[in-house]
Structures are given as structure tokens and as C-alpha cells.
């Protein structure tokens, strides 16, 4: 992030990181730099730490990759293949963009599914 700030002292509209931890680290590095005060920090996973980061304003958004559904659909497809059924070449397990506007519903859904205590 420091290299990005040196290369782009005027700021950048959005930083898309490959995971939530990296997005939060980038947001911490940019904190206090006026040109980055409106930068959107986006991570991927939608994990508990990311949700806490969104709630406390440290991170802007995360894309939940729906790990539970990935695993479920993978096992379902494996069983279909073992039973000789056709399996799609691409199976969409879904995703959800998590922001301050929908964070409460996302957390409630994770708790309801037993993914978080």
C-alpha cells in the first residue's frame, strides 16, 4: 500500500485486495493520508474479522464467497458424478457483497446457519 501511495499521491478510488486481511492492512496504511480518505477498500471472504472491520469503519466492503455453499455443492457434485449423473462444468455457489448497509443481516444469516457463534 505504501508503494501505491508513493506512486499515486493524488489517491485512488478503490483498492481491491485478494483477501480481507490485505484490504484491512491497506486501509490501515492509508489511514491519515488525506488523498485516500474516500478510497474504498474491498476484500474477499466475508469472514468475521472483515465484518468487524466494516462495522468499525476500518474497511468499506467485502465479497463473501460463500464457503459453506462451495463445500456443500462440491460434495453434492461429487456424489452426482459417482452415481453417473451429469455434473455442470461450472457450479455457482453464490456470493454476496457486504457493506455497512447489509452487515447486520449478513451476520445474522451466518449465525442462523451455525457458521458463527
Amino acid at each position: 500500500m505504501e508503494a501505491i501511495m508513493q506512486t499515486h499521491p493524488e489517491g485512488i478510488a478503490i483498492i481491491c485486495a485478494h483477501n480481507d486481511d490485505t484490504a484491512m492492512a491497506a486501509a490501515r496504511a492509508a489511514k491519515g493520508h488525506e488523498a485516500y480518505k474516500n478510497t474504498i477498500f474491498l476484500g474477499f471472504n466475508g469472514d468475521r474479522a472483515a465484518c468487524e472491520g466494516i462495522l468499525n469503519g476500518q474497511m468499506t466492503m467485502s465479497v463473501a464467497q460463500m464457503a459453506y455453499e462451495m463445500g456443500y455443492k462440491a460434495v453434492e457434485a461429487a456424489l452426482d458424478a459417482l452415481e453417473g449423473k451429469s455434473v455442470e462444468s461450472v457450479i455457482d455457489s453464490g456470493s454476496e457483497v457486504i457493506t455497512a448497509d447489509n452487515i447486520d443481516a449478513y451476520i445474522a444469516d451466518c449465525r442462523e446457519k451455525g457458521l458463527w457463534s
Side-chain angles (χ1 to χ4, degrees), residues 21-71:
D21 292 335
T22 302
M24 288 187 288
R28 279 192 304 273
K31 188 174 183 170
H33 292 274
E34 186 63 23
Y36 287 83
K37 71 178 181 181
N38 295 319
T39 298
I40 294 168
F41 292 91
L42 165 67
F44 288 85
N45 275 349
D47 58 25
R48 188 183 302 238
C51 290
E52 290 170 2
I54 292 169
L55 284 170
N56 69 27
Q58 179 183 359
M59 194 165 95
T60 315
M61 59 180 44
S62 181
V63 177
Q65 300 174 72
M66 313 314 249
Y68 178 84
E69 285 80 3
M70 277 188 225

Side-chain angles (χ1 to χ4, degrees), residues 86-100:
S86 68
V87 177
E88 296 292 324
S89 61
V90 175
I91 300 170
D92 183 4
S93 60
S95 61
E96 184 174 351
V97 177
I98 306 163
T99 67

